[in-house]
Amino acid sequence: MAKRENEADAMRQALNNWPAIQKHLIEEGAKDALDEDGNPIDPYEPYWTTNENGTRVLHASLDSWWLKDYDESAVLIDLGGVSIFNTKPFHVDSVVQSIYQAYGVRYKEPSAGIFTEDDVLAHIERFPEGQFAAQRTGGPGAGACIGMASTMRTSRPPTAPPLPWLDAIGDMRLGAHEPNGDWLYGVEMAVHPMYQGHGIGSGLYAARFALVKHLNLRGMYAVGMLMGYHRYAESMNVVEYGERVIAGEIKDPTVSMQLNRGFRAERVVTDYCAEPAAGDAGVLIVWENPDYQE
Ligand SMILES: CC(C)(COP(=O)(O)OP(=O)(O)OC[C@H]1O[C@@H](n2cnc3c(N)ncnc32)[C@H](O)[C@@H]1OP(=O)(O)O)[C@@H](O)C(=O)NCCC(=O)NCCS
C-alpha cells in the first residue's frame, strides 16, 4: 500500500513539474544552436538548420506553442496535471471548445447561449480576475483547456428577483459587469465530459471563492441549471424536480454538485435560459463570504 502511495505521489509530482521540465529541455536544446544566418534562435519558434552535408533539419517542439506563454507563478490552483489559471488570450480557443463539449453541442454549431472566442476575449478585458481556465499541463494533450468558469461583479443582491441569464449578464460580453459590485455572479461553468468527476469543477469553485475573499465581496451567487431534469420530465414538472433536488431526494449532476460545494439553495428559477435538458430552469444558489468585512 505504502509503495502504491509513493508511486502515486511520484506521478503527481512528475505531472506538476512537467511544464518546467519541458521548458528546461527546450531551452537547453536550443542554447548553442544558431539559425542559418548564425544568429541565436528562439527555442519556441520552429527553425531550420543545415547539416554539413547540406541536408536541412526542422527543429520544433510540439509543446512550444503553449509553453512559450506558460508561467508557473500564474497557477492559481494545481490539481496535478491540470492547473487553474486566470484565462489568457492563448486559452480562448479551447475554453470555447470545452463549453460546447460540456453542453453536448456540436462544436461551432451556431448556438445562442455559447460564448464565442471574441466574447471570451472581451470578458478577459472587462474582468480578468473573474475568468478561469483549467488547462492540462502534462502528458499528451497538454496545453489544452478542459474546463472554464466565468464570473462578473454585480451590486444586485441575491435577494432581488432573479433575472433571465442574458438580462443578468447584460449581453454576451458581460455588459452588466459592475467593477464595484459587491457580489460575484456565476456566469458560466463547464468541464469537458471526459474530465468530469475528477475535482476540476470543485477546483474552479475554489478559485471563485478565493476571489470573493480576495476582493472582500459579500459572496457569490448563480442560478445552477437543473441539467438532470430531462430524465424525470415524463413524471414531474421542473419545479417539483428542483424542489426534490433541493430536499436532497434526487441527485442532479449540476445543482447537487453545487450544493455539495457549500452553496445554499434558495429556490427554483423557471425560464432562466434556453436549455432543453434542464427544462430551461435552475436553482438560485448562494455562498456567503464568511470573512466579509463591512
Ligand atoms: C457541473 C460541472 C461543471 C461539474 O464539474 P466536475 O469537474 O465534474 O466537478 P467535480 O469533479 O469537482 O465534482 C463532481 C463530483 O465528482 C466528485 N469527485 C471529485 N473528484 C473526484 C475524484 N477524484 N474521484 C471521485 N469523485 C470525485 C465530487 O465529489 C463530486 O461529487 P459530489 O457532488 O457527490 O461530491 C460539470 O458537470 C459540467 O460541466 N456540466 C455540464 C455543464 C453545466 O452544467 N454547467 C453548469 C451550469 S450552472
Side-chain angles (χ1 to χ4, degrees), residues 12 79 98-99 101-104 146-148 165 186-193 195-205 208 222-228 251-261 272-273 275 281-283 285:
R12 181 171 282 266
L79 299 169
S98 68
I99 308 176
Q101 283 150 342
Y103 286 98
I146 41 85
M148 61 74 69
W165 182 70
V187 173
E188 182 59 284
M189 155 96 82
V191 173
H192 187 300
Y195 295 86
Q196 289 176 7
H198 293 283
I200 293 163
S202 304
L204 289 163
Y205 275 117
R208 285 169 150 186
V223 175
M225 295 305 289
L226 287 161
M227 295 300 282
K251 188 169 171 162
D252 182 83
T254 296
V255 173
S256 303
M257 180 270 177
Q258 294 164 327
L259 299 183
N260 290 337
R261 305 281 86 70
Y272 180 64
C273 86
E275 174 50 70
V283 170
I285 53 169

Side-chain angles (χ1 to χ4, degrees), residues 214-264:
H214 176 70
L215 297 174
N216 188 37
L217 304 183
R218 288 176 187 272
M220 169 177 178
Y221 71 100
V223 175
M225 295 305 289
L226 287 161
M227 295 300 282
Y229 173 60
H230 60 100
R231 296 173 301 173
Y232 292 82
E234 306 235 309
S235 53
M236 63 184 85
N237 66 39
V238 76
V239 175
E240 186 186 343
Y241 172 80
E243 281 166 357
R244 290 184 63 179
V245 170
I246 294 173
E249 293 164 17
I250 298 177
K251 188 169 171 162
D252 182 83
T254 296
V255 173
S256 303
M257 180 270 177
Q258 294 164 327
L259 299 183
N260 290 337
R261 305 281 86 70
F263 282 98
R264 181 181 79 230

Side-chain angles (χ1 to χ4, degrees), residues 20 24 30 32 40 53 73 75 118 123 125 158 163 190 206-207 215 224 249 251-252 254 260 279 291:
H24 175 76
D32 302 320
N53 64 10
S73 66
V75 172
D118 285 344
H123 303 169
E125 203 159 303
L163 297 171
L215 297 174
E249 293 164 17
K251 188 169 171 162
D252 182 83
T254 296
N260 290 337
D291 301 342

